[in-house]
């Protein structure tokens, strides 16, 4: 240590964090835009097969066909078009899952944190039980039993991924509960539900926003893993995980078929995490990991 | 301490019971088990025979009590597909999954402890920032995809390691690396946070004032204190890793418990699925309880909780 503590250079720190926030926001914004505009910007029908044009290579390789920027897959479907529609599926699953899990987790956490005592014991117990359940295994089993569909994947992940919302909502509610304005609301004769919704929720919202971003990333990764194992989004939907699974058969001779969707997945999740971390610092939401 | 331990044990037992109920209900989700077992070509009479044979015609509560009673004795029934006792199947495959989990955990610790220390010592510099970016890369990496990429590069192009399958130690290297990636972010951040806290404390200032060497301060004093939370999180991470190994074992065709679970799920082999969920959950519960007890033993302040 040499005794000298290296003082942070504030400007560089601020710059680094802001850069992360901007980069993350840009990535997420771009993917969101692409997902929304998918029908208008895809060069081809993502489901149209062309068996005479299978595994056409992407533009940077020799022998690329001009109409297919990222080549075609094993069934001759345009890879760029499938990638664009895949962004739609990832975003849809990420957002809807988090809405579901956010409602469950926030409700439990706020109730536990606000009322304490027996209620809190029950909430803590629910969180402990939830953490003991292996997520991927149970999600796979449920989809395997009931048959794969987009709705089921969203529902299963939503019902499994509420733990972090509950933990953070609980601890932040405990902090907020004893503050002056809540006491003032009590004194003013506000009802308990009104206090929860009007006083507590807005004050823990920034923490929940950070959790939500990080959970979107987790949900997207899990969906891709489920789809990769054949128990997620059913074919012929172009989920990125499913694209990697389909490309697996060709990966030793045409590695780009798994590089492309994999990089897309990585960049999106990385971007969401950057955004979440940036938000944490921006909103001063403390450690919500 | 004894009271704390007892209380913690009761909670663990209740959690285990709840998970048992859940994993039992999980397999009844599909509606009629007998129809699923009989298969698509079965007649109504076949379904009825199976319903009787597996005791599926009795009330659910009775079925559950029987299952739980047998499970407590280590009997998870017969596998439909493998025609073997489920408990034997799991016992046979568990060493592979445990080896993989421990390999992953050791690799993760080897990477994250030095990285975390480095980031803490150089807090708020570009080194610290870089370490955090590395952690974030690990967090964003799709494990199954990383597995495939390693298979292409280390396996096919460089030919250093076997591409897939079960066998000697070399078969655990690539899956171990992939599994380690999932634990590195959390362990690195925790080591960093623990070290920063330890380095800012009074006893480190005292040690510095005494003129102890930098290495002795870092290794003997700061690390020892930062290690407590890392050890307990490492136990929890091992639990998560065993649960998450299903994806990696499937990618690498490593025939552990995770692969067994995947096979059984695709074959509608309910007794096995049920048992694997339960066993992995019980291991997790045991690991977290051990971590909590260890923490309480080392830090008396935690016992009040």
């Amino acid at each position: 240590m040499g005794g000298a503590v290296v003082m942070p250079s504030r400007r560089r720190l601020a710059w680094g964090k802001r850069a992360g926030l901007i980069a993350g926001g840009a990535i997420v914004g771009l993917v969101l835009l692409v997902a929304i505009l998918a029908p208008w910007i895809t060069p081809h029908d993502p489901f149209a097969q062309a068996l005479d044009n299978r595994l056409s290579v992407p533009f940077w390789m020799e022998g690329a066909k001009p109409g297919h920027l990222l080549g075609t897959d094993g069934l001759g479907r345009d890879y760029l078009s499938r990638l664009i529609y895949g962004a739609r599926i990832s975003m849809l699953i990420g957002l809807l899952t988090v809405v579901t899990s956010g409602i469950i987790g926030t409700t439990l956490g706020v109730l536990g944190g606000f009322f304490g005592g027996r209620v809190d014991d029950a909430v803590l117990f629910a969180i402990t039980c939830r953490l003991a359940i292996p997520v991927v295994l149970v999600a796979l089993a449920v989809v395997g039993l009931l048959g794969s569909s987009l709705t089921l994947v969203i529902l299963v992940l939503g019902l499994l991924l509420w733990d972090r919302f509950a933990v953070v909502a609980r601890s932040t509610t405990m902090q907020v509960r004893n503050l002056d304005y809540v006491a003032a609301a009590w004194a003013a004769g506000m009802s308990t539900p009104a206090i929860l919704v009007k006083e507590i929720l807005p004050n823990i919202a920034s923490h929940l926003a950070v959790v939500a971003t990080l959970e979107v990333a987790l949900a997207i990764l899990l969906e891709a893993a489920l789809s990769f194992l054949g128990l997620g989004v059913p074919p012929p939907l172009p989920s990125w995980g499913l694209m990697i699974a389909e490309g697996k058969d060709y990966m030793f001779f045409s590695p780009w078929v798994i590089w492309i969707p994999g990089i897309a997945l990585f960049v999106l999740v990385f971007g969401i995490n950057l955004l979440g971390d940036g938000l944490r610092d921006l909103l001063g939401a403390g450690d919500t990991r | 301490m004894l009271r704390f331990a007892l209380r913690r044990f009761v909670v663990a037992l209740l959690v285990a019971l709840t998970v048992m109920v859940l994993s039992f209900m999980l397999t009844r989700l599909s509606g009629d088990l007998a129809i699923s077992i009989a298969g698509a070509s079965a007649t109504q009479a076949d379904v009825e025979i199976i319903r009787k044979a597996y005791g599926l015609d009795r009330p659910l509560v009775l079925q559950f009590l029987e299952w739980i009673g047998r499970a407590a004795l280590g009997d998870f029934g017969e596998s439909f597909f493998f025609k073997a006792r489920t408990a034997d199947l799991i016992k046979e495959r568990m060493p592979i999954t445990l080896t993989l989990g421990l390999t992953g955990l050791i690799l993760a610790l080897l990477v994250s402890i030095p990285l975390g220390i480095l980031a803490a010592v150089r807090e708020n510099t570009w080194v610290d920032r870089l370490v955090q970016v590395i952690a974030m890369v690990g967090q964003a990496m799709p494990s199954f995809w990383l597995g495939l990429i390693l298979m292409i590069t280390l396996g096919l192009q460089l030919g250093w390691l076997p591409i897939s399958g079960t066998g000697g130690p070399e078969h655990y290297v690539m899956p171990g690396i992939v599994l380690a990636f999932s634990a590195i972010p959390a362990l690195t951040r925790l080591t960093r946070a623990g070290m920063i806290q330890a380095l800012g404390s009074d006893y480190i200032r005292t040690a510095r004032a005494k003129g102890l060497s930098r290495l002795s301060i870092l290794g003997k004093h700061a690390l020892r204190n930062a290690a407590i939370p890392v050890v307990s999180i490492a136990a929890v991470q091992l639990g998560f890793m065993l649960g998450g190994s299903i994806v990696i074992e499937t990618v690498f065709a490593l025939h552990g418990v995770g692969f067994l679970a995947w096979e059984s799920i695709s074959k509608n082999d309910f007794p096995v699925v049920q048992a694997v969920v339960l066993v992995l959950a019980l291991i997790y519960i045991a690991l977290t309880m051990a971590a909590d007890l260890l923490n309480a033993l080392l830090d008396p302040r935690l016992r009040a909780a």
Side-chain angles (χ1 to χ4, degrees), chain B residues 204-216:
Chain B
I204 295 294
R205 215 167 302 146
T206 313
R208 261 189 219 138
K210 284 198 300 191
L212 291 183
S213 76
R214 185 194 285 206
L215 205 67
S216 144

Side-chain angles (χ1 to χ4, degrees), chain B residues 30 55 87 133 142 165 189 209 214 221 223 227-228 245-247 265 272:
Chain B
S30 60
V133 170
R189 286 187 183 123
R214 185 194 285 206
H221 299 270
L223 187 59
I228 298 171
S245 70
I246 180 167
V247 179
I265 289 170
V272 183

